[in-house]
Amino acid sequence: MSVPEPPPARPPTWEPDRRPDVAAGVAAGPWTPALSVTCASAACLVLVVVGVLAARPDVAVLGAAPLVLAVRALRARPTGAVDVRFEAGDDEDDLDVRGRAGRLQATLVVDGPGRWAAVTTTRQGRPGADVLVHAVGPRRLPVVARTVRTGPQEVATADVQGVGPDGVSVAEPTPAVTRSTVVLPATTPLLDLPLPRRLRGLTGPHESRRPGEGGGLRDVHPWVPGDRLRRIDWRVTARRSPDLSELYVRREHAQAEAVVVLVVDSRDDVGPDPRTWRGSVAPRPQDATSLDRARQAAASLARAYLEGGDRVGLDDLGVRRRPVPPGGGRRQLDRIRHTLALTAPEGQPAARLRPPRLPSGALVVVFSTFLDDESAAVAARWRNAGHRVVAVDVLPRLRVSGLYDRERLALRMMTLTREDRMAELADQDVELVTWRDEPAVTLRVLARRAQRHAGAGVPR
């Protein structure tokens, strides 16, 4: 039994252990005769009365036999209650984003004294499946929903009505039971990634500009007290000092790590249809919104940097709460993905007098639609403070078919203003990435732009 939706472009990942909100069992009321049985019994009773009054035994017998069977069935109707509950389905972690649908699974358990159960499922107010199942004993029904959205959402809502033997009696409909979960954003494989202007830490996966150990060759220098003997380059020593009056050692670059801060602008959650931007009409369920794209983009970058050994943090421009401090490891990725899934617009955001504080020398990645000046101004301030800033445009590809002339004009004016805003960011040395147009290639170009010398992304 499934609740169908159009197939999405990118699948999310469902992890139900993040919100263990399995619905408790709900019991139905008493059993009553079915309407068809009541009407048929009344008709048979009329036939019996007419046959008796008209002295027609054939007519009376014609109505007496069904009436006796109906009374016998009603006396044997069930007396217990129908129990309905949701259980979580198997956890799925589908990272393939090339066309397969994201699936949310749960199990509907129906248990009651009747032989049949009429099950009606809905999802977010839209009709789903309406089936009659054989329910002798506990019956487990798989419920599958397909979605392109991320964050808290409903898997399915079920209404169940028990049906007695031969359909003679029915139970009162059970109260609706709902299964909800948190859909975590999926990740996209990325290639090379840009690095901050200045690397930090005493060790890490990247080669820095300061002298140390673990990196590439820095230079060859005469031996001084403190140099290790195993670093002596005997070939250079033999060439420059054949009499061994002076020893030469090889010096290397130190290894360091990058600190990346992902900043999500949760103030806007718009879909590809501009008519839904006013908020009076909700975006279609099969359309991924800008916030869905921002979650996926941030989760993809977080996974790529963390797998490379860097430290990643998370902040939100839409709300004022404690950010996720930079950290590393698998747990940090799980924490960032769960925080991203719970990120959502929360009323009218307060104006910021100054941008959030960031670690020194961090790479800042801002995910926004840039429909207003707030996020662009914050990104420009971070760039003026010396950070390397990458602005990721997460606005979906717009669908302009069906718009009125005045709506097209308003959209055109908004697009021109937004393009001017993005051009100003580029003039202020903020690097731009459009997530809907091959982001992996653009990020790789930004990464190679600063790899012309040792210590990628670090000025001399």
Side-chain angles (χ1 to χ4, degrees):
M1 178 177 56
S2 61
V3 182
E5 285 188 17
R10 297 180 183 272
T13 302
W14 178 43
E15 295 192 3
D17 54 343
R18 300 297 182 181
R19 284 185 61 186
D21 55 351
V22 179
V26 178
W31 294 74
T32 58
L35 179 61
S36 58
V37 175
T38 303
C39 295
S41 301
C44 292
L45 182 60
V46 170
L47 288 177
V48 172
V49 173
V50 171
V52 171
L53 296 178
R56 293 285 304 274
D58 54 341
V59 175
V61 171
L62 183 63
L67 184 60
V68 171
L69 293 177
V71 172
R72 180 181 178 183
L74 289 176
R75 289 176 60 89
R77 61 184 174 181
T79 57
V82 179
D83 181 72
V84 182
R85 64 183 183 276
F86 265 116
E87 293 181 355
D90 295 334
D91 185 15
E92 289 192 356
D93 192 5
D94 187 2
L95 301 180
D96 187 1
V97 295
R98 293 173 293 180
R100 293 196 298 178
R103 298 178 53 178
L104 307 180
Q105 293 186 353
T107 301
L108 180 65
V109 180
V110 181
D111 188 9
R115 291 187 178 180
W116 303 89
V119 181
T120 302
T121 57
T122 59
R123 185 170 187 268
Q124 298 178 353
R126 302 184 309 277
D130 190 358
V131 296
L132 181 66
V133 298
H134 192 221
V136 177
R139 181 69 185 273
R140 306 172 64 88
L141 306 174
V143 179
V144 180
R146 303 182 185 275
T147 181
V148 298
R149 299 292 184 85
T150 55
Q153 58 185 274
E154 173 188 325
V155 178
T157 298
D159 298 285
V160 180
Q161 185 177 24
V163 180
D166 301 325
V168 175
S169 59
V170 293
E172 291 293 329
T174 62
V177 290
T178 302
R179 166 64 178 160
S180 300
T181 189
V182 176
V183 180
L184 302 186
T187 57
T188 302
L190 300 175
L191 306 176
D192 298 336
L193 298 174
L195 297 176
R197 305 289 181 185
R198 180 160 54 95
L199 299 177
R200 302 180 58 185
L202 300 178
T203 184
H206 309 293
E207 188 176 287
S208 66
R209 291 293 297 169
R210 69 176 186 274
E213 296 183 2
L217 177 65
R218 177 182 175 90
D219 59 11
V220 178
H221 193 271
W223 184 88
V224 295
D227 289 338
R228 298 184 178 182
L229 296 179
R230 64 183 180 87
R231 294 193 176 276
I232 298 177
D233 192 328
W234 294 105
R235 293 185 178 181
V236 176
T237 300
R239 185 171 61 252
R240 294 188 178 184
S241 180
D243 56 354
L244 300 181
S245 61
E246 190 172 18
L247 301 178
Y248 289 87
V249 296
R250 297 168 56 91
R251 298 195 300 184
E252 300 175 346
H253 291 283
Q255 295 288 99
E257 63 182 3
V259 177
V260 182
V261 178
L262 309 176
V263 182
V264 177
D265 185 5
S266 64
R267 298 173 303 148
D268 296 330
D269 189 12
V270 297
D273 190 355
R275 292 174 296 185
T276 63
W277 291 5
R278 293 175 294 181
S280 57
V281 179
R284 296 192 302 180
Q286 59 267 31
D287 292 335
T289 63
S290 61
L291 192 54
D292 295 326
R293 292 178 177 271
R295 291 170 180 152
Q296 183 194 18
S300 301
L301 285 174
R303 180 167 187 168
Y305 278 112
L306 290 173
E307 288 181 348
D310 296 318
R311 299 170 60 207
V312 181
L314 178 66
D315 204 347
D316 189 355
L317 285 180
V319 295
R320 294 188 178 182
R321 63 167 59 100
R322 189 173 183 179
V324 178
R330 176 66 185 181
R331 285 193 174 185
Q332 182 72 359
L333 177 60
D334 295 339
R335 184 180 181 185
I336 289 176
R337 291 179 65 196
H338 189 254
T339 304
L340 286 171
L342 299 180
T343 300
E346 298 183 6
Q348 183 66 25
R352 290 183 177 269
L353 300 179
R354 60 182 62 88
R357 299 182 61 181
L358 301 176
S360 176
L363 169 66
V364 186
V365 186
V366 183
F367 305 89
S368 177
T369 58
F370 298 100
L371 293 176
D372 56 12
D373 295 328
E374 181 69 20
S375 56
V378 172
R381 291 181 185 178
W382 278 325
R383 182 65 192 95
N384 294 333
H387 297 281
R388 185 180 184 182
V389 181
V390 177
V392 180
D393 179 16
V394 294
L395 186 68
R397 195 177 302 277
L398 300 182
R399 187 169 53 245
V400 299
S401 59
L403 298 180
Y404 296 109
D405 292 339
R406 59 181 182 181
E407 293 174 339
R408 292 178 180 272
L409 178 60
L411 179 61
R412 179 59 177 166
M413 295 176 61
M414 184 276 300
T415 303
L416 292 176
T417 304
R418 182 173 173 274
E419 291 176 353
D420 293 340
R421 189 177 298 116
M422 303 291 285
E424 292 178 0
L425 284 178
D427 293 339
Q428 296 179 359
D429 199 20
V430 175
E431 297 160 301
L432 304 179
V433 176
T434 303
W435 193 256
R436 61 181 178 272
D437 298 329
E438 298 296 336
V441 177
T442 307
L443 290 172
R444 190 170 192 176
V445 172
L446 297 181
R448 293 185 174 183
R449 183 177 298 175
Q451 291 182 355
R452 298 179 180 178
H453 50 75
V458 184
R460 295 182 181 273

